[in-house]
Amino acid sequence: MRRPLIAGNWKMNLNRADAVALSSDLVNADKSSEVDVLICPSHIYLDAVSSTLGDSGISLGAQDVYFEAGGAFTGEISTGMLSDVGCQFVILGHSERRHVMGETDSLINKKVKAVLEAGLTPVLCVGETLEDREAGNTEAVVKTQFEGSLADLSPEQVQKTVIAYEPVWAIGTGKTASPEQAQEVHADLRKLLNDRYNSETSEQVRILYGGSVKPDNASNLMSQPDIDGALVGGASLKADGFTAIINAANQNVA
Ligand code: 13P
């Protein structure tokens, strides 16, 4: 049985005071203990949020990292720096990094390897654009991203990753994939994990859904057999809404 994971991606939002207040509200919220909770603030507030989270059990993640351990890479942040401030997870290959910053599968693969080597957990994002979907290319696009981003990894390494399926057309648009549409792609990903690695890997790896997850659609999405949690953008910026999503995941814990 995979333990649900609800992750909040705060993206480039909030200031220091708001980030600390939101994390403090989440620490104090009445929320399920059967669900793993992760929040991913902007790099610059990781340290402050880390202090607020303390030993609350809420995990801390970054929204990106560079693959080199250190040196002349102006503006970048290393895995060592993330560990130093208490991060355990790193979102990689988010669609905004793929499509706005032009990240490729081969760059994302280097980052996945660096994150695993540092003992952190990658949350690898994959997902098709509306154009891909309308052309009937969803399965092929997701497969290419999966294979490229996870190239050269052992089953043991893949078992330590989290995958997030985020259809680009559903991100920040209010258009959620239907539970059936999401389940179809999650099942494809589960099959890829089985075929490329082994059954242990496909049974263990958590696959999150992301794209306009809200308190009112979370439960239906997470009742699907291959949806193990959510990667939440906009609705993670309010403690009440995010807590409702955490508690919706709990309803589906067998
Ligand atoms: P929204 O929940 O705002 O659609 O964002 C989803 C997302 O990109 C999470 O990483």
Side-chain angles (χ1 to χ4, degrees):
M1 185 68 204
R2 295 176 294 272
R3 207 174 137 86
L5 171 63
I6 301 297
N9 174 7
W10 293 358
K11 308 193 181 183
M12 198 172 73
N13 292 299
L14 307 179
N15 59 24
R16 183 188 173 93
D18 291 339
V20 168
L22 176 54
S23 42
S24 168
D25 287 349
L26 291 172
V27 167
N28 296 318
D30 187 10
K31 59 190 182 303
S32 166
S33 55
E34 305 299 318
V35 175
D36 289 340
V37 180
L38 165 67
I39 53 176
C40 304
S42 153
H43 281 142
I44 198 160
Y45 302 132
L46 284 169
D47 204 9
V49 169
S50 181
S51 304
T52 311
L53 294 180
D55 60 2
S56 64
I58 298 181
S59 299
L60 184 68
Q63 298 174 17
D64 187 37
V65 74
Y66 197 55
F67 62 85
E68 294 283 2
F73 303 101
T74 301
E76 294 297 330
I77 283 178
S78 71
T79 54
M81 293 170 183
L82 295 183
S83 298
D84 196 23
V85 295
C87 271
Q88 295 133 296
F89 290 78
V90 189
I91 298 173
L92 294 173
H94 190 278
S95 81
E96 287 140 23
R97 299 218 58 89
R98 290 177 184 271
H99 297 288
V100 184
M101 279 75 183
E103 291 201 5
T104 60
D105 287 325
S106 101
L107 173 64
I108 295 161
N109 181 234
K110 288 184 181 149
K111 294 183 175 192
V112 171
K113 288 176 182 161
V115 164
L116 285 166
E117 263 163 40
L120 300 168
T121 302
V123 179
L124 171 70
C125 303
V126 296
E128 82 288 2
T129 62
L130 186 58
E131 202 183 357
D132 296 328
R133 178 162 281 267
E134 286 176 344
N137 291 336
T138 299
E139 192 179 343
V141 166
V142 167
K143 183 171 184 233
T144 301
Q145 292 174 342
F146 173 96
E147 289 177 347
S149 307
L150 297 177
D152 312 321
L153 297 182
S154 66
E156 291 71 28
Q157 285 177 306
V158 176
Q159 283 163 24
K160 292 185 186 133
T161 69
V162 172
I163 295 176
Y165 168 56
E166 296 205 312
V168 180
W169 49 271
I171 296 177
T173 58
K175 280 189 216 153
T176 322
S178 68
E180 295 72 27
Q181 281 175 319
Q183 167 59 26
E184 192 180 0
V185 179
H186 281 235
D188 289 344
L189 285 164
R190 188 86 59 209
K191 187 166 182 316
L192 279 171
L193 287 166
N194 184 71
D195 297 352
R196 295 266 147 194
Y197 305 98
N198 51 38
S199 60
E200 205 184 333
T201 308
S202 79
E203 279 157 25
Q204 277 187 29
V205 171
R206 290 184 286 193
I207 310 177
L208 314 182
Y209 168 78
S212 298
V213 175
K214 309 284 175 215
D216 61 0
N217 60 24
S219 180
N220 276 345
L221 284 160
M222 285 182 281
S223 63
Q224 297 295 319
D226 290 303
I227 302 185
D228 307 313
L231 181 54
V232 186
S236 72
L237 297 172
K238 294 267 185 291
D240 287 359
F242 193 57
T243 304
I245 295 171
I246 296 167
N247 291 334
N250 181 47
Q251 290 168 16
N252 298 309
V253 176

